[in-house]
Amino acid sequence: AGVVIDRYSRKAVMLLADTGVAISSLVLALAFLFGQPPFILVLIILFMRALGEAFHKPALLASIPTLVPESALQSAGGFGQLISSLCSMLCPMIGALLVSLLKPGFILLVDVAGAALAVFALSGITLPAHKGQGNTGKGYVRELKDGIKAFIGDRALLYLSLPLLLTSVTFMPLGSLLPLMVKLRFGGGAWAAGIVQTLFFLGMLASALAFGITGGTRRPFFAVCLSAFLLGVCAAVAGFLPPSAFWLFCVFTFVMGITGAMGNVPYMAYLQSHVPSENLGKVISLVTSLVSLCVPLGIALAGPLAEFLGMALWMRLIGFSLILISLLIYVLAKSKFVETIAKDNH
């Protein structure tokens, strides 16, 4: 996807991706309206939607530097994260309401309407041409290698990526297993799990809003490492809480949510401002792919470990691992990161 995003108009890529998602949802909606679709069709549609997302999201992130100045990238990223967090919090509620009121086919038509609205909104926006647009002389594999070289060749970006990737292995399973922690450790039901998830997203909202309003930090490496460190502290302390301390667990969950934007926004702003435009789509797609690889790996490890060790001990293990990872990376890579940035500025 990254090669296509850098070769062609990013607006056109997003329009085609959103149109593909709309058509996929329409096909599945019609299949539900006229009968019971085979399971294989549902899988194919899910794959097509994921394919559309693989093109849309990196194209969107790669377009932002052409619309806002470098000094405003963290602010733009904060507001973008704010919108994403709002959707993550509200959409499941809206979805549950629709499921109670409508049949699957009509629910999917709502999704089609949403994609159509996205296409309409994007059609009215003018995106400046980026450097490298229209250059199709190189082969696909060669361009792909150029993107990998651009990522590996930027030592500061590599140092900045380590906490993000390692946190993805541990943090994503932590978010997935929070409801299980509520049930097994604190004896809470659906309402308690709902409170925890809501507080987690509210923490993300608060952090993203702070970045949007203040414009972010001038120390991205420190912010990314601090994000992983705070997440580890919260997870470790939460693992020691007694079953009667549910509300204290809620406080730590809120802080966990805050760490999300604290690490992601400065990281993406640095990437957008330091990777050349002709390779930006490829590098963002590469990072997205690496994170996507880390998440299922982490979940595959977390499930058996949580069952074998118990949720509380597993939380402590995750917490201490994150603390150790963040401190090691900060101590070992800080001087190299500063040195690389100094060379870039010179």
Side-chain angles (χ1 to χ4, degrees), residues 99-230:
V99 167
S100 66
L101 297 176
L102 302 174
K103 294 181 178 179
F106 292 107
I107 295 174
L108 285 164
L109 288 178
V110 174
D111 187 52
V112 174
L117 180 61
V119 170
F120 174 77
L122 188 58
S123 299
I125 296 173
T126 300
L127 287 181
H130 58 275
K131 187 179 178 182
Q133 182 175 326
N135 295 339
T136 57
K138 294 182 180 179
Y140 177 87
V141 175
R142 186 177 172 185
E143 286 193 55
L144 197 61
K145 289 180 179 178
D146 288 344
I148 296 173
K149 287 179 182 178
F151 177 70
I152 296 176
D154 190 330
R155 293 176 64 191
L157 181 59
L158 275 178
Y159 301 142
L160 203 60
S161 300
L162 285 174
L164 177 74
L165 296 175
L166 292 173
T167 302
S168 297
V169 178
T170 52
F171 175 70
M172 295 303 179
L174 181 62
S176 303
L177 295 178
L178 274 179
L180 197 59
M181 178 72 174
V182 171
K183 179 180 179 181
L184 297 181
R185 181 66 175 174
F186 300 102
W191 68 271
I195 290 174
V196 166
Q197 296 282 24
T198 301
L199 286 170
F200 182 82
F201 285 122
L202 285 176
M204 293 183 68
L205 286 172
S207 180
L209 184 61
F211 272 97
I213 294 174
T214 64
T217 175
R218 294 183 179 181
R219 302 175 64 188
F221 185 72
F222 176 76
V224 172
C225 290
L226 179 63
S227 152
F229 178 79
L230 288 177

